[in-house]
């Protein structure tokens, strides 16, 4: 598999520090958006990134990468929870996690919280991950529209976060990739400021991933920059290059995507420390 990727993070125009963190290392791409008092948010997202960085070598060779990715996410959960339990100033800290690894003609994703992974294919942008938010549940239940969710007073309430409980349900996704696919992994600072069609216009018009990530962040800041913004753009240049064996078709469901979600109501709502209004 041949990839080209770029990524960046920015504090934005309103917050005084950046609680987002990201990892862009070979085939592994991670975005974590931390939350919590004092420096808890930064500790939670930073600890998560460190855990994934330390696990990279094992992930790259594990025969069952989607399971291993979820295990690393649980290890990160335990590491954050343990730090939070040992320091009153870090109590209740947590972080979102959207981790994606490209290997063997597939993309493997582990996901908790309201950061997102999207796929651009044939000019169409699809959100691959589900937002673990109260308003996300309202939208899925048909109680409010996507548009109403953008300005809903409870839009900052996330229903699942890493590090808040001793264990956390992890959404696991496996999908086959095609040459020419472009993946976007981002924190809510991006999609809170830009509509999907604005995000799509950058993804389709800026060919180089690093430049595209930086231009998306600039656009979020021009729209108000009300939150920290993190963006990773991954291009699949050759899905089955480098002499990899072909994809075994019967190993995965034919609908390409396999969701092994936990119970989204398993842990209680977690309030983001400083809920910020997001301008539509
Ligand atoms: Mn955020």
């Amino acid at each position: 598999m041949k990839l080209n990727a770029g990524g960046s993070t920015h504090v934005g125009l309103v917050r005084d520090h950046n609680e987002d963190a990201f990892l862009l290392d070979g085939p592994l791409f991670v975005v974590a958006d931390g939350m919590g008092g004092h420096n808890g948010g930064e500790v939670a997202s930073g600890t998560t990134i460190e855990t994934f960085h330390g696990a990279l070598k094992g992930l790259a060779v594990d025969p069952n990468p989607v399971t291993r990715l979820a295990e690393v996410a649980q290890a990160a959960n335990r590491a954050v929870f343990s730090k939070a339990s040992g320091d009153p100033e870090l109590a209740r800290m947590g972080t979102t996690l959207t981790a994606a690894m490209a290997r063997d003609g597939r993309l493997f994703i582990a996901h908790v919280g309201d950061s997102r992974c999207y796929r651009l294919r044939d000019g169409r942008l699809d959100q691959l991950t589900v937002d673990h938010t109260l308003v996300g549940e309202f939208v899925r239940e048909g109680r409010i529209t996507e548009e109403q969710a953008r300005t809903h007073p409870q839009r900052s309430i996330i229903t699942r976060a890493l590090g808040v409980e001793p264990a956390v349900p992890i959404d696991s996704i496996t999908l086959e990739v095609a040459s020419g696919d472009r993946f976007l992994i981002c924190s809510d600072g991006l999609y809170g400021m830009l509509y999907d069609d604005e995000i799509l216009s950058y993804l389709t018009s800026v060919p180089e991933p690093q430049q595209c990530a930086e231009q998306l962040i600039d656009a979020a800041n021009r729209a108000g920059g009300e939150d920290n913004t993190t963006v990773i753009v991954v291009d699949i240049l050759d899905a089955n290059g480098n002499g990899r064996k072909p994809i075994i078709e019967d190993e995965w469901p034919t609908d390409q995507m396999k969701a092994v979600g936990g119970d989204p109501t398993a842990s209680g709502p977690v309030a983001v420390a400083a809920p910020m209004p997001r301008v539509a």
Side-chain angles (χ1 to χ4, degrees), residues 84-116:
S85 308
D87 184 343
E89 292 207 334
L90 301 178
R92 298 291 293 171
M93 70 174 174
T95 181
T96 73
L97 166 74
T98 303
M101 186 174 55
R103 235 189 73 185
D104 308 337
R106 300 197 185 107
L107 192 76
F108 305 96
I109 300 170
H111 169 74
V112 177
D114 70 347
S115 299
R116 289 181 178 176

Side-chain angles (χ1 to χ4, degrees), residues 15 19-20 33-35 96 114-115 187-190 227-229 272 278:
R15 305 279 179 107
E19 297 183 325
D20 283 6
D33 176 351
M35 64 210 72
T96 73
D114 70 347
S115 299
S187 63
D188 65 332
L190 183 73
D227 195 2
N228 311 144
T229 302
V272 172
R278 288 171 195 155

Side-chain angles (χ1 to χ4, degrees), residues 22-45:
F22 75 104
L23 177 68
L24 199 164
D25 198 347
L28 181 62
F29 311 97
V30 185
V31 167
D33 176 351
M35 64 210 72
H38 299 275
N39 62 341
E42 285 154 288
V43 173
S45 60

Side-chain angles (χ1 to χ4, degrees), residues 80-182:
V80 174
F81 185 74
S82 165
K83 280 188 186 178
S85 308
D87 184 343
E89 292 207 334
L90 301 178
R92 298 291 293 171
M93 70 174 174
T95 181
T96 73
L97 166 74
T98 303
M101 186 174 55
R103 235 189 73 185
D104 308 337
R106 300 197 185 107
L107 192 76
F108 305 96
I109 300 170
H111 169 74
V112 177
D114 70 347
S115 299
R116 289 181 178 176
C117 182
Y118 293 85
R119 178 186 63 196
L120 173 69
R121 177 181 282 179
D122 299 331
R124 201 181 105 173
L125 191 63
D126 286 310
Q127 183 183 337
L128 303 175
T129 50
V130 166
D131 296 343
H132 300 136
T133 60
L134 207 54
V135 293
E137 288 175 18
F138 292 166
V139 170
R140 289 191 288 281
E141 291 165 3
R143 293 166 63 183
I144 62 171
T145 64
E146 295 258 7
E147 186 57 35
Q148 288 168 326
R150 294 183 76 86
T151 53
H152 195 281
Q154 290 174 296
R155 65 192 172 281
S156 293
I157 305 294
I158 69 172
T159 50
R160 235 199 273 182
L162 209 80
V164 181
E165 304 284 344
V168 64
I170 310 283
D171 284 358
S172 292
I173 299 167
T174 298
L175 67 158
E176 293 174 14
V177 301
S179 304
D181 282 351
R182 169 169 268 194

Side-chain angles (χ1 to χ4, degrees), residues 6-71:
S8 191
T9 187
H10 194 279
V11 66
L13 305 181
V14 175
R15 305 279 179 107
D16 57 13
H17 55 291
N18 193 348
E19 297 183 325
D20 283 6
F22 75 104
L23 177 68
L24 199 164
D25 198 347
L28 181 62
F29 311 97
V30 185
V31 167
D33 176 351
M35 64 210 72
H38 299 275
N39 62 341
E42 285 154 288
V43 173
S45 60
T47 299
T48 297
I49 295 300
E50 281 166 26
T51 303
F52 273 86
H53 185 249
L56 177 59
K57 276 187 181 169
L59 276 167
V61 298
D62 196 285
N64 195 344
V66 75
T67 304
R68 183 67 170 263
L69 205 62
E71 286 169 1

